[in-house]
Structures are given as structure tokens and as C-alpha cells.
Amino acid sequence: MTTIEIDHTSRWFGNVVAVNDVSMTVGPGVTGLLGPNGAGKSTLINMMGGFLAPSTGKVTLDGRQIWRNEAVYKEIGIVPEREAMYDFLTGKEFVVANAELQGLGGAEAQRALATVQMEYAQDRKISTYSKGMRQRVKMASALVHEPSVLLLDEPFNGMDPRQRMQLMELLRRMGHEGRTVLFSSHILEEVEQLASHIEVIVAGRHAASGDFRKIRRLMTDRPHRYLVRSSDDRALAAALIADPSTAGIEVDVTEKALRVQAVDFARFTELLPKVAREQGIRLLTVSPSDESLESVFSYLVAA
């Protein structure tokens, strides 16, 4: 159970505050670090990976300071967003060089290249690689020593759909194995598909933490929206609108459904099945229409 702890951590560059008093814990499984461009995600990852010192606060791995602690580097793999690579090397030479830094050799490098499905291009120079191929060879170099912690900064940039699916499956598998995997993204769909837990950074501050659906349910000052299909939509609408837990109901002719705004989440979830039962109406579909990560993110950025 490897855990990274960020404790009241800030980092500034001159007069620019990139990370402002952030505290969070990243444990086993897949965690998505979400935020708009410039929010401070890369700075946080660089501090977790030991590339940057905190200006204030602490960043620790299982209680051990990460900055200038060589011992923890054997447990951390990092895939930076920046493209600074040795283009004159082949993919295999690049991964072998990273293996040797960990006291390993060609066998471990070959295994890592196979893991990211880059064996077919391992003897080509990195200068000939596409963006997606560069991302995968960076991933191989991060995995060569089988780290218990994997930190990835915008790992899906430049990947085609097939490469994205392969990487998502690899990260899911690592999370299920009990490794601590954190990846940053400003693409909501990526985080929603992959992460069981999110950490949201907005303007250098920690805005939210947890399962995004649970976070959405805590937003009591904003109506919850549902798409409801039933055997008698008009009768159901008439019964629901009379209750103070609903703020508005619209009949969506195209979807053949009701769009319901609920202002009292707990009351509405009890009311809907009760009304349906009393009116003899069959509920065919009840689905939240704004519990996506995008709705949560938009709310937090605007807050």
C-alpha cells in the first residue's frame, strides 16, 4: 500500500504561485488529477516525482520525503508531458539507458517495451517517432523498474484511439494490481473513463476530492437533472411537479422522456418511485443527465 501525501504544499516561481497550499493523499488504484491548462497539475506531479522542491509544505512517499531522497526513486515511475528526449537514440537504447540507471539491463528494457507494444519500432530512432509513439516509449522507460507508483502528465496527448485504449487498459490493470497510479488531464472524458477517484485543481488550489458522482450530489445549491421515461410521462409529470422537491419538468418529445430538475435530491429519490407506484405508472428509465465529470468540473471552475 504505497501512498503519496501532499501536506499544505505550495510552490511558486518568482512572483507566480503555481500551487497554493494543497493537501491531498494519493493511494493505490487509479486517480485522475483534473484541471484546466495552467491549473498547476504539472507542478504538483513534478513535486511528487522529486523533480521540484516544495516552496512550503511536504510531499512524502509512505512518510519519507521525496525531494533529494534517492531511495524513493526506485519506487516511482514518471511520464512527463515535456518532449525533451534523446532523439538520436533508438527507442530500445533509450529504455535500456533508463534501465541501467536503475541497475537493470536489456531484459527488463525488452519487457517494458513489450508492455507498451513498442517492440516493432524499438530499433528506429526516436526522431522518427510520432507523438503517440514518443509517449509510449516514455511509458516504457517509466515502467522498466516495475515501480509501485506511476505518475503521468497528460499521457494521452498525441495518441490515436487504439493507442489510447491500450494505455487505458494498462493503467486499469496496474490499478487493480494495487499500484498507485496518478495521471493528469484536462480532457474530461479520459478521466471519467479511467479514474475511480479524482482530485481537482483550479488556479493552483485544491477544489475537490473523491468520486465525482458523490461530489455532484453534495452540490445542493444546484438542481439535479434527470431523464425519466415511463409508461405515462404526462401523468407522472403532473404528479411530480406538485411536489416542492422538483423545480421544473419538461416533456422532451425527441427523447420521448421527461427532463426533471430536482432541488431536493434525497426527497426526490423517495418521491419518484412512490408516485409511480401510487399512479400505477411503470418507470422505464431513470438516469442522471448532469452527473458527468464535465458538469462537476464546470461547477467547480465557476465556484
Side-chain angles (χ1 to χ4, degrees), residues 14-36:
N15 293 326
V16 177
V17 180
V19 172
N20 192 350
D21 194 32
V22 168
S23 293
M24 68 173 70
T25 300
V26 182
V30 181
T31 297
L33 181 62
L34 178 65

Side-chain angles (χ1 to χ4, degrees), residues 125 193 205:
K125 290 190 182 298
Q193 287 184 27
R205 290 185 175 275

Side-chain angles (χ1 to χ4, degrees), residues 59-290:
V59 182
T60 58
L61 179 69
D62 290 340
R64 295 165 289 161
Q65 181 176 290
I66 293 176
W67 175 245
R68 289 185 174 171
N69 183 356
E70 293 180 11
V72 303
Y73 297 158
K74 290 189 176 295
E75 300 173 51
I76 297 174
I78 186 164
V79 180
E81 183 183 17
R82 292 180 62 188
E83 280 298 323
M85 298 179 72
Y86 298 99
D87 284 1
F88 58 90
L89 296 177
T90 65
K92 183 175 181 179
E93 288 169 343
F94 177 72
V95 179
V96 168
N98 281 276
E100 289 174 347
L101 289 173
Q102 296 285 350
L104 305 172
E108 289 83 4
Q110 200 65 53
R111 185 205 64 241
L113 285 161
T115 299
V116 300
Q117 300 183 17
M118 278 294 288
E119 291 170 296
Y120 75 97
Q122 67 182 22
D123 294 321
R124 284 171 49 187
K125 290 190 182 298
I126 292 173
S127 60
T128 69
Y129 282 4
S130 67
K131 172 80 170 178
M133 293 169 72
R134 286 170 176 256
Q135 290 290 82
R136 285 192 286 162
V137 82
K138 284 194 294 184
M139 183 78 177
S141 71
L143 292 176
V144 74
H145 57 299
E146 293 283 351
S148 58
V149 175
L150 187 63
L151 307 172
L152 306 100
D153 195 359
E154 300 282 359
F156 301 103
N157 280 356
M159 287 192 173
D160 63 35
R162 182 182 60 85
Q163 293 168 344
R164 283 161 51 99
M165 289 181 63
Q166 289 172 347
L167 180 55
M168 282 189 176
E169 182 54 38
L170 174 60
L171 297 183
R172 283 193 194 98
R173 188 166 73 245
M174 293 178 69
H176 289 152
E177 290 171 356
R179 300 199 212 186
T180 297
V181 179
L182 178 136
F183 74 100
S184 74
S185 180
H186 63 284
I187 306 298
L188 302 165
E189 179 189 1
E190 293 173 352
V191 181
E192 191 166 6
Q193 287 184 27
L194 184 56
S196 57
H197 182 94
I198 64 167
E199 302 287 348
V200 183
I201 301 294
V202 178
R205 290 185 175 275
H206 192 199
S209 175
D211 183 295
F212 67 85
R213 294 177 185 87
K214 292 180 181 177
I215 294 170
R216 175 64 187 97
R217 292 184 186 122
L218 293 174
M219 298 176 187
T220 54
D221 59 338
R222 175 175 155 180
H224 293 252
R225 295 176 174 83
Y226 292 89
L227 187 73
V228 180
R229 291 187 179 90
S230 72
S231 59
D232 191 339
D233 288 345
R234 294 188 181 278
L236 182 63
L240 291 175
I241 197 64
D243 191 271
S245 67
T246 59
I249 299 179
E250 175 188 349
V251 178
D252 190 323
V253 179
T254 305
E255 292 283 347
K256 297 181 180 179
L258 299 177
R259 294 194 176 275
V260 183
Q261 289 189 46
V263 290
D264 186 335
F265 172 76
R267 182 180 172 91
F268 176 76
T269 54
E270 293 179 2
L271 172 73
L272 181 60
K274 179 182 176 184
V275 165
R277 185 170 58 250
E278 291 174 351
Q279 299 282 335
I281 299 169
R282 286 189 301 118
L283 295 174
L284 306 175
T285 300
V286 180
S287 60
S289 58
D290 70 339

